[in-house]
């Protein structure tokens, strides 16, 4: 029996290169990419995607939609790493740890949409708490996140590592129109009734993310203190291989969060901080935007799909 044929469409970007690197030495699958001379050949790309068992799309949104539209072979399964299909009901959301049974849904799905890097952290923190009724679905949520510049793709890497890198900014907050494309995804899969306020930023480091969600316990369910929030997250992820909940932090026992702490891994680390005198709780997620936030998540989903 031949090994499954996996086609990476768009293996030249930051996520695509990482996925290719992770898969190229594997013996349980056959990896296919197109040479540089054929990457923009519509006919050749359509032939390739219809000949594979699973296609991994590492493309801009428009190109991802075109690639899916070119599929005529009903046996082809897709993992889309773009944001083109993330809020579409007929696509399975590729966050295996999000809810019980999600890994099984991914394993049998024909169309899987890989989560965005920022939504991975936000949904990972919020969805279990909303499902448990600790955070109301109409809570006015605000989210702040800082990512490495590779989150901008090749443009970000070129700005910081290319010939003109001397003038690259050390830190920049963006998305000031409060309309970041990841916000609808966060709202949908976190289970929020109202759109959260999301403020992203880039730092002058290549990869890694720190994402934080501040909460005022006086606006939560009556029993939702820091211990209850932490216990809920710890229960939800108790058996997860790639999501880890640190012990509940006491005031002063951790001085900072390092966005690069999990670089090179496919793990995500969740924490709960509190100042109960003021009624304040801070939820945090640390992970590699190219690991659990992109390539690692795609490979995790691929492994689930190959197991079927």
């Amino acid at each position: 029996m031949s090994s499954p044929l996996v086609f990476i469409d768009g293996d030249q970007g930051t996520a695509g290169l990482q996925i290719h690197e992770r898969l190229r030495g594997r013996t349980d699958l056959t990896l296919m990419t197109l040479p540089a001379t054929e990457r923009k050949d519509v006919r050749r790309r359509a032939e390739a995607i219809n000949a594979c068992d699973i296609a991994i799309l590492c493309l801009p949104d428009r190109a991802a939609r075109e690639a899916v539209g070119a599929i005529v072979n009903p046996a082809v399964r897709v993992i889309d790493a773009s944001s083109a299909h993330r809020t579409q009901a007929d696509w399975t959301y590729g966050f295996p740890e999000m809810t019980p049974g999600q890994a099984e849904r991914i394993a049998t799905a024909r169309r899987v949409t890989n989560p965005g890097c920022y939504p991975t952290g936000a949904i990972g923190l919020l969805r279990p708490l909303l499902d448990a009724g600790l955070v109301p679905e109409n809570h006015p949520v605000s989210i702040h996140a800082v990512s490495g510049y590779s989150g901008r793709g090749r443009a970000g890497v070129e700005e910081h590592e290319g010939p003109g890198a001397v003038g690259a900014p050390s830190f920049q907050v963006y998305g000031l129109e409060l309309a970041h494309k990841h916000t609808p995804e966060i709202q949908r899969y976190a289970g929020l009734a109202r759109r959260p306020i999301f403020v992203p930023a880039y730092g002058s480091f290549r990869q890694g993310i720190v994402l934080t969600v501040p909460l005022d316990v006086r606006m939560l369910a009556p029993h939702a203190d820091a211990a209850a929030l932490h216990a809920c997250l710890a229960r939800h992820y108790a058996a997860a291989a790639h999501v880890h909940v640190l012990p509940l932090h006491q005031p002063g026992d951790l001085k900072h969060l390092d966005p690069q702490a999990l670089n090179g891994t496919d793990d995500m680390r969740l924490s709960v901080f509190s100042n109960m005198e003021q009624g304040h709780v801070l939820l945090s997620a640390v992970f590699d935007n190219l690991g659990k936030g992109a390539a690692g998540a795609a490979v995790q989903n691929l492994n689930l799909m190959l197991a079927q």
Side-chain angles (χ1 to χ4, degrees), residues 16 18 49 58-59 65 74-75 106 110 125 134 143 146 150-151 159 163 180 183 227 232 247 251 261:
Q18 289 252 338
I49 201 168
C58 303
L59 303 166
R65 294 188 188 98
I106 293 166
R110 312 303 301 176
L125 288 167
L134 295 171
I143 302 161
V146 182
S150 61
E159 181 180 28
H180 194 281
T183 311
C232 176

Side-chain angles (χ1 to χ4, degrees), residues 5-12 16 20 30-36 38-39 44 48:
L5 181 61
V6 176
F7 170 47
I8 303 177
D9 192 357
D11 64 323
Q12 306 81 45
H20 188 274
T30 300
L31 190 61
M32 175 173 61
T33 59
L34 291 178
E38 298 180 0
R39 288 170 188 160
R44 183 67 188 95

Side-chain angles (χ1 to χ4, degrees), residues 71 187 225 227 251:
I71 297 174
Q187 179 181 355
D225 58 8

Side-chain angles (χ1 to χ4, degrees), residues 8 56 59 130 158 176 178 182 206 211 242 244 280:
I8 303 177
I56 304 177
L59 303 166
L130 270 85
E158 179 65 23
L176 302 181
L178 302 178
H182 285 166
R206 196 176 204 276
L211 180 144
H242 294 293
H244 311 289
H280 293 163

Side-chain angles (χ1 to χ4, degrees), residues 122-210:
I123 295 162
L125 288 167
L126 290 168
R127 179 62 180 263
L129 302 180
L130 270 85
D131 283 351
L134 295 171
V135 176
E137 66 176 14
N138 63 350
H139 188 78
V141 170
S142 62
I143 302 161
H144 180 260
V146 182
S147 170
Y149 54 76
S150 61
R152 289 183 56 205
R154 284 185 292 176
V157 173
E158 179 65 23
E159 181 180 28
H160 286 264
E161 299 178 9
V166 174
S170 59
F171 184 84
Q172 52 187 326
V173 175
Y174 68 104
L176 302 181
E177 71 286 352
L178 302 178
H180 194 281
K181 69 177 183 178
H182 285 166
T183 311
E185 178 185 351
I186 294 171
Q187 179 181 355
R188 177 183 177 89
Y189 294 106
L192 294 166
R194 62 169 71 179
R195 184 184 179 98
I197 297 174
F198 175 48
V199 182
Y202 289 124
S204 60
F205 52 94
R206 196 176 204 276
Q207 61 198 80
I209 286 178
V210 166

